[in-house]
Amino acid sequence: MSSATDIYAVSAPRLFDGQQTFFDHAVLVQDGRVLEIVPRESVPDTLTHHHEIGCTILPGLIDTHVHFMRWAGPQYLAFGVTTVRDTGNDLNWILERRAEWEKRPWPRILSLGPLIDGPTAAHPFVGISCNTLEDAVSAVRNICERGVDGIKCYVGVPSEWFSLIVDTAHTAGQKVSIHCSKAGVLPAARAGVDEFYHLDGVLANVWPDHPPGWLNLWGLSNFSKTYDRQQEVADIISGSGITATPTLAYWDSQSRIRTPASLGPDDLRCTPKAMRNWQYEHPDPAASDQWRRALEAAQRFVSLLIERNVPILAGSDIPCGLVPPGMSLWRELQLLVEAGTSPTQALRTATSDAADYLERPELGRLSPGTSADIVVVKGNPMEEIPSRPDIIKTIRTGVIYQPKDLLAETNWADFSLKDEPWADQFEQHWKNRGSPKPE
Ligand SMILES: [Zn+2]
């Protein structure tokens, strides 16, 4: 039974409730839920009251594109991320982690299950192969029956399969997200796919005879010649209602890992040594520059989507490029602002917009009855998204965490990566590309 003494208050000069900003307000928390938002002066003296000078209160952030690994859990919380959506993992493993998040210093976990792939799964430890459309449809049914939070299709799924996959998932009450196949994003948009990642598939539709390569091709000078076609594709995307999760932080990370000096010791302190080996890239200024130009081209394309009011979500694709989990989401917000959103709009992509897409009204907002997932950050992120956010506390389902405690816990150079599907996957890719090691 709860009593009034269980209630505590957190106040700050600014409080963003997921939609709008209040000044000098407090959030009252009881039993892991938000009880009320009230003016600071009306907080009863009898309550425990954390008044945070010079700070802003935000709803706990939602990273809509991660591949969860246990070492990353405390770091997400330390940077104010209280919910992550796993977009591809071993199904049994991720459902076990999802069942235990509340007992751990981790964010809440949502799961899209494994990567549903074509006949040869690109990432066999975290994906499943489907030889036929029938295989894919029964995989979608089985995964939905396990109670996932959506379905993810991967590059090998032929575009002719999309409609039936979408129908099957929608009938089971789940949305479909996609890392596009060679046919591009337009067939996915036409088939009613709900969301696409990494701006993947845009290249195929704007530059059908492009040279071999992937997102880095956006950094070639020829890519800018496709600008007129980019506008047409942005129009079609806009008309289809598909949501874009561009994961600009991923593009950024690919430039950074090829320029080792750009990774500070702070960034690497909490990353397991094995992860650093598996993601190691030899210094390559030309490739790094090409990724940087690719990011800029991607941001120009995102600005076309913003102009057309295409729904956009914030996802960071951690663990990629050795960017600290959680910090990566702030980086994503900064890159979205550079592409043309306001800081407040960027914060919505990681709070209320994400919750709306996920159909989780208890997340991403601070209002009576929502989950008490709260970030207290120094300064005013509605004016400028900080590059290194100074998080004073993170509250997850009413439990208060101090970032320095969470980061101390992750001070583990050799943290065990046993029983981690993505560790096995990273190791396999690393061996396949000749096990590059730092000189
Ligand atoms: Zn991903």
Side-chain angles (χ1 to χ4, degrees):
M1 280 298 289
S2 60
S3 68
T5 54
D6 295 321
I7 304 172
Y8 66 85
V10 187
S11 65
R14 292 160 299 272
L15 182 152
F16 175 68
D17 72 352
Q19 287 286 325
Q20 50 177 321
T21 304
F22 297 83
F23 296 95
D24 234 5
H25 272 59
V27 52
L28 306 190
V29 174
Q30 184 180 34
D31 289 340
R33 301 250 152 208
V34 172
L35 187 65
E36 226 183 330
I37 308 291
V38 297
R40 178 159 76 98
E41 66 269 16
S42 61
V43 174
D45 289 343
T46 50
L47 297 188
T48 304
H49 185 167
H50 309 266
H51 178 56
E52 311 289 359
I53 296 164
C55 291
T56 301
I57 292 171
L58 306 171
L61 302 178
I62 303 170
D63 191 332
T64 60
H65 190 125
V66 312
H67 302 279
F68 188 74
M69 296 178 80
R70 280 176 282 214
W71 63 267
Q75 295 186 60
Y76 286 116
L77 276 193
F79 288 107
V81 174
T82 54
T83 299
V84 294
R85 179 176 53 160
D86 186 283
T87 56
N89 220 316
D90 177 80
L91 180 60
N92 290 329
W93 186 89
I94 192 65
L95 292 182
E96 283 166 24
R97 304 291 84 74
R98 191 184 66 171
E100 68 175 326
W101 66 265
E102 215 163 358
K103 300 193 282 287
R104 310 273 178 211
W106 295 349
R108 173 188 293 92
I109 297 171
L110 308 178
S111 163
L112 302 190
L115 304 169
I116 296 176
D117 215 334
T120 310
H123 305 299
F125 291 95
V126 294
I128 53 169
S129 304
C130 299
N131 286 315
T132 62
L133 172 58
E134 290 68 35
D135 284 356
V137 166
S138 78
V140 170
R141 270 201 203 105
N142 294 339
I143 294 165
C144 287
E145 271 170 26
R146 298 288 301 277
V148 290
D149 306 289
I151 287 291
K152 164 104 176 256
C153 290
Y154 208 61
V155 282
V157 173
S159 53
E160 308 83 71
W161 296 4
F162 293 166
S163 304
L164 206 51
I165 287 176
V166 168
D167 282 354
T168 308
H170 286 182
T171 303
Q174 297 298 345
K175 290 180 174 168
V176 177
S177 304
I178 193 161
H179 184 132
C180 289
S181 68
K182 285 196 189 71
V185 62
L186 297 183
R190 275 194 291 268
V193 169
D194 299 280
E195 180 191 23
F196 73 110
Y197 292 132
H198 316 304
L199 304 180
D200 223 323
V202 172
L203 181 71
N205 296 136
V206 302
W207 191 4
D209 52 349
H210 65 76
W214 190 41
L215 299 176
N216 54 336
L217 297 181
W218 289 53
L220 295 179
S221 57
N222 280 353
F223 186 78
S224 58
K225 294 179 186 154
T226 67
Y227 195 64
D228 290 345
R229 178 62 182 152
Q230 287 180 42
Q231 308 208 32
E232 292 167 16
V233 168
D235 285 338
I236 303 171
I237 287 173
S238 159
S240 74
I242 196 168
T243 292
T245 304
T247 67
L248 296 169
Y250 174 82
W251 307 60
D252 184 49
S253 77
Q254 293 309 301
S255 173
R256 281 166 187 252
I257 51 171
R258 289 167 173 84
T259 310
S262 69
L263 297 166
D266 268 5
D267 294 337
L268 297 174
R269 184 171 62 93
C270 302
T271 307
K273 209 193 286 174
M275 289 294 297
R276 282 182 261 158
N277 267 337
W278 295 330
Q279 296 205 56
Y280 178 76
E281 298 283 351
H282 293 299
D284 185 343
S288 176
D289 276 359
Q290 190 182 336
W291 271 106
R292 175 70 42 206
R293 288 193 304 274
L295 168 65
E296 287 160 11
Q299 287 177 299
R300 274 193 296 278
F301 187 76
V302 168
S303 74
L304 298 179
L305 301 182
I306 294 166
E307 281 164 24
R308 289 160 177 76
N309 293 316
V310 171
I312 292 174
L313 299 182
S316 69
D317 208 12
I318 286 298
C320 69
L322 303 177
V323 186
M327 171 89 88
S328 55
L329 189 63
W330 291 91
R331 183 68 188 136
E332 182 71 14
L333 300 184
Q334 263 193 329
L335 295 169
L336 287 172
V337 170
E338 284 177 19
T341 71
S342 69
T344 300
Q345 282 172 317
L347 288 166
R348 284 190 197 121
T349 67
T351 56
S352 53
D353 290 351
D356 289 348
Y357 178 88
L358 298 166
E359 301 177 30
R360 299 291 292 256
E362 79 278 24
L363 306 180
R365 285 186 173 80
L366 299 176
S367 60
T370 61
S371 182
D373 297 349
I374 299 164
V375 193
V376 178
V377 60
K378 206 83 178 164
N380 183 0
M382 284 80 80
E383 210 165 86
E384 188 179 1
I385 303 291
S387 25
R388 276 198 173 271
D390 186 359
I391 308 289
I392 304 304
K393 45 173 74 83
T394 301
I395 302 172
R396 196 214 61 198
T397 52
V399 179
I400 300 177
Y401 293 90
Q402 304 297 333
K404 67 173 179 350
D405 300 341
L406 291 162
L407 293 176
E409 194 164 342
T410 56
N411 196 3
W412 41 38
D414 292 307
F415 183 68
S416 166
L417 292 170
K418 284 198 177 71
D419 183 32
E420 290 274 353
W422 268 101
D424 296 338
Q425 190 59 66
F426 271 114
E427 187 168 27
Q428 191 195 56
H429 283 313
W430 177 71
K431 283 181 178 156
N432 288 347
R433 61 192 187 92
S435 312
K437 287 191 183 70
E439 272 103 46

